[in-house]
Amino acid sequence: MSIRVMLVDDQVLLRTGFRMVLAAQPDMEVVAEAGDGLEALEVLRATKVDVVLMDVRMPRLDGVEATRRICEPEEHPKVIILTTFDLDEYAFSGLKAGASGFMLKDVPPAELLAAIRSVHSGDAVVAPSTTRRLLDRFAPMLPTTTQEPEHKEIERLTEREREVMLLVAQGLSNGEIAGRLVLSEATVKTHVGRILTKLGLRDRVQVVVLAYETGLVRAGGGPQL
């Protein structure tokens, strides 16, 4: 069954380019397009979509608010925020709003396709190294703190779960975490699942956001000492 993709961008040429790339894939189809957030919400009421590629700067309703509204229901399409280096603050807001990841608009086609497939499968990890690098760029915009995080649920994590959370927040994949902690990937996946449940988070990307927000991880990708 094809992955049903929606393109949301006010630039017609960009949508055309993405559509051409996706149309060439046997497992994907572009089922809808919109030029702004409001139009996207209207179209989604009548169209079944699996993954939304969402621009951030658009007229009427921007991509961040549109993402928040799309992700409010329990069952909703996955959203990938499309950004440029000078819009990192929007990408961060989009992740907080419920997006499953973000990528640069000039991403190579192969990486974009891999991201769509990854998010559709429920992984929600879009290019960990890119996530870490972009987060580091706008980490100075986050509140700084030298105190213990205020997110009380973090205290419920076991020592091992906290270790795993810090490595997830630094952009490591399950395989990389398994190698670092000498665990199986299945065990790491179990730990990640428990972390998400205890912290009430949607996916691994929001683990990264929380870790930066609370000061567990500082700019540069290292843990807060």
Side-chain angles (χ1 to χ4, degrees), residues 23-180:
Q25 304 306 305
D27 61 338
M28 296 183 192
E29 62 175 324
V30 176
V31 297
E33 296 185 31
D36 59 60
L38 276 182
E39 184 182 359
L41 294 174
E42 293 169 1
V43 172
L44 282 171
R45 293 190 185 100
T47 308
K48 177 68 175 178
V49 173
D50 298 313
V51 178
V52 178
L53 297 184
M54 180 74 73
D55 186 22
V56 284
R57 277 190 172 176
M58 296 180 292
R60 298 206 301 169
L61 188 70
D62 64 39
V64 173
E65 179 59 20
T67 296
R68 187 188 67 76
R69 297 187 193 182
I70 289 172
C71 295
E72 279 180 345
E74 186 172 346
E75 295 292 329
H76 59 78
K78 302 292 186 181
V79 178
I80 297 176
I81 295 288
L82 297 175
T83 184
T84 54
F85 276 122
D86 62 337
L87 293 177
D88 287 339
E89 68 272 22
Y90 293 95
F92 179 74
S93 298
L95 292 177
K96 288 185 66 177
S100 294
F102 60 88
M103 305 197 79
L104 302 180
K105 281 192 173 182
D106 60 356
V107 61
E111 288 187 25
L112 175 65
L113 297 172
I116 293 172
R117 294 185 180 105
S118 176
V119 165
H120 180 253
S121 70
D123 190 352
V125 177
V126 181
S129 61
T130 301
T131 299
R132 180 173 63 245
R133 186 169 63 252
L134 293 180
L135 278 169
D136 287 344
R137 287 182 65 90
F138 61 76
M141 288 182 282
L142 304 180
T144 56
T145 177
T146 56
Q147 303 174 350
E148 279 297 303
E150 296 181 2
H151 203 287
K152 298 300 182 182
E153 285 78 2
I154 290 178
E155 298 174 1
R156 298 173 54 199
L157 300 181
T158 65
E159 183 177 348
R160 176 64 84 187
E161 288 167 350
R162 192 180 177 100
E163 279 184 294
V164 172
M165 178 182 178
L166 288 173
L167 293 176
V168 168
Q170 292 174 55
L172 274 66
S173 66
N174 281 353
E176 291 169 332
I177 294 173
R180 182 78 64 89

Side-chain angles (χ1 to χ4, degrees), residues 162-208:
R162 192 180 177 100
E163 279 184 294
V164 172
M165 178 182 178
L166 288 173
L167 293 176
V168 168
Q170 292 174 55
L172 274 66
S173 66
N174 281 353
E176 291 169 332
I177 294 173
R180 182 78 64 89
L181 299 180
V182 194
L183 300 171
S184 69
E185 284 196 48
T187 298
V188 173
K189 187 174 181 179
T190 298
H191 283 311
V192 171
R194 289 174 179 166
I195 291 168
L196 295 177
T197 299
K198 289 183 178 181
L199 299 182
L201 302 176
R202 287 189 180 95
D203 52 50
R204 294 168 60 111
V205 174
Q206 293 210 328
V207 172
V208 179

